Amino acid sequence: MSDLKLSICIPTYNRARYLETVLVHLQEVVAQLPFETEIIVSDNASDDNTLALLETSQALLPLTILKQSENIGAVPNMHAALRAAKGTYLVYLADDDRLRVEALQNAISMLDANPAASALYAPWQIKDLVTGQVTGQFYRQPRDVSIAQGNYGQLLEHIAEHSIYSEICILRREVFQALNPIANDIAFWAFTTPAEYLGAGDLIYAQEPFYCSISRHFVGDNRAQLGFSEVMTAWDTYRGGLEVLHGLALAHGGLTKPAMVAKFIRNHPIERMYTALKLRLQLGGDPLESYTLAARLRGLGLGSQLPAPMEQIRSTAALYFACVKLPATLRAESVTIIGNCPEETLQQLAGITNLPVRRAQQADGIGARDVVLDFSCQDETLLEAARTSALAHVTDTQLQQKFA
């Protein structure tokens, strides 16, 4: 196996429908590559027809199957595939994505020509297989760039100049097996992992994408990309990753544009927070989380630049808390309204909770399993029943104070 050049490593779990299309694609890839290639698929104890599909495909591909006896988790399963590889170079391939053969071959040639390089990173395309159209590309750079071992300053400046997330790469096998990079929730792995590889050798950032992330395989197959879900929550880990990389640059030198880097580290997480809030408001995310995110942006001096008025975000969060979150926490059976609540607001409340929403005109209309929402009620009998009989009594004034 000394001539084995490339290992294509695929972790999978219960994705036979998509994996089947990838395996057909890889028949074309392997046939066109001018060097020996292997495919490693690690099946994370799927209970669909994944294993039968893989066994059938062994007659058509240089395929090694790893069978996990139980689900070991996504990251360990990915590491299992990568560590089983025997090629000079490793490339991760999701079980529903594609490789661009000519660009992949060019990337391998660049690594061959740069034996000091531990890894090659490149942008990636977004492609719709139904239309055949490339619909986007994650980051662009004007030329190929080589970064010398240990030059963390140049790495950070390159990332900052082109807003790069270093996610798609080809690795030297011995580098991966020596470093075993493992992500955590404190610092974004796409900033910290390339720093690990840069400690072991040079890094190449290629201009040409060799990887396609597939947004749609079939009609009706509209799935969120991983990066889409990350942007909804990961802004603090983005900041953490940039700070780790900045610390390496400060400790080891190499920064030539410190002001530009400092601005990027400050602004990039804020931009991601703004994008996350905008998406949450558009897609109906948790209103309490949206309020907290808006409050953070307001605290950064951006209150006038929010994607929706703060008053609207506050109001939505307050009603959600009173009619959904609090009743669920207390295991309430209904939401009871007292005071001057317009019919339009009552209908709005009924639309955001699965519990019955009703008005109480008399004290006996308030039950022991109710959350009472009080819109400036002046009836002392009702108020006393709300305070003493209900699970919780929440006033509109209290909500305004809570979501200030």
Side-chain angles (χ1 to χ4, degrees), residues 118 149-150 152 179 194-201:
S118 59
Q149 181 178 2
Y152 302 103
L179 295 178
E196 290 192 45
Y197 295 145
L198 189 60

Side-chain angles (χ1 to χ4, degrees), residues 19-143:
L19 182 63
E20 183 175 13
T21 70
V22 172
L23 295 172
V24 171
H25 163 70
L26 288 176
Q27 292 179 45
E28 302 174 3
V29 171
V30 171
Q32 294 178 56
L33 289 174
F35 42 73
E36 188 175 355
T37 302
E38 68 170 352
I39 299 163
I40 309 287
V41 178
S42 184
D43 177 21
N44 208 1
S46 297
D47 54 20
D48 61 2
N49 64 320
T50 291
L51 189 56
L53 171 65
L54 290 170
E55 290 172 345
T56 300
S57 299
Q58 280 187 306
L60 304 171
L61 288 165
L63 173 61
T64 297
I65 305 170
L66 304 181
K67 308 172 188 177
Q68 306 300 337
S69 59
E70 61 182 7
N71 192 308
I72 60 175
V75 172
N77 194 45
M78 179 179 68
H79 275 253
L82 292 165
R83 291 193 64 82
K86 296 180 173 61
T88 302
Y89 304 114
L90 315 179
V91 63
Y92 162 84
L93 178 64
D95 59 9
D96 58 353
D97 286 341
R98 300 291 188 267
L99 295 170
R100 302 177 69 234
V101 178
E102 184 176 351
L104 177 64
Q105 185 176 337
N106 291 340
I108 296 293
S109 296
M110 291 175 67
L111 283 164
D112 282 343
N114 293 270
S118 59
L120 178 146
Y121 284 94
W124 62 100
Q125 294 180 339
I126 305 297
K127 188 172 184 179
D128 183 334
L129 291 184
V130 175
T131 64
Q133 297 298 308
V134 173
T135 58
Q137 180 171 313
F138 276 82
Y139 85 83
R140 297 178 186 275
Q141 59 184 58
R143 63 185 185 282

Side-chain angles (χ1 to χ4, degrees), residues 233-245:
T233 58
W235 52 85
D236 282 327
T237 66
Y238 297 157
R239 178 182 289 109
L242 290 171
E243 288 170 350
V244 168
L245 192 48

Side-chain angles (χ1 to χ4, degrees), residues 171-221:
L171 296 167
R172 289 193 190 274
R173 176 171 54 89
E174 64 268 22
V175 172
F176 173 81
Q177 294 185 345
L179 295 178
N180 294 295
I182 298 176
N184 60 57
D185 295 331
I186 304 299
F188 186 42
W189 63 271
F191 294 142
T192 60
T193 300
E196 290 192 45
Y197 295 145
L198 189 60
D202 299 350
L203 286 184
I204 300 170
Y205 277 80
Q207 177 186 15
E208 183 181 23
F210 64 80
Y211 193 103
C212 282
S213 180
I214 304 304
S215 60
R216 187 170 59 152
H217 286 73
F218 322 103
V219 174
D221 171 43

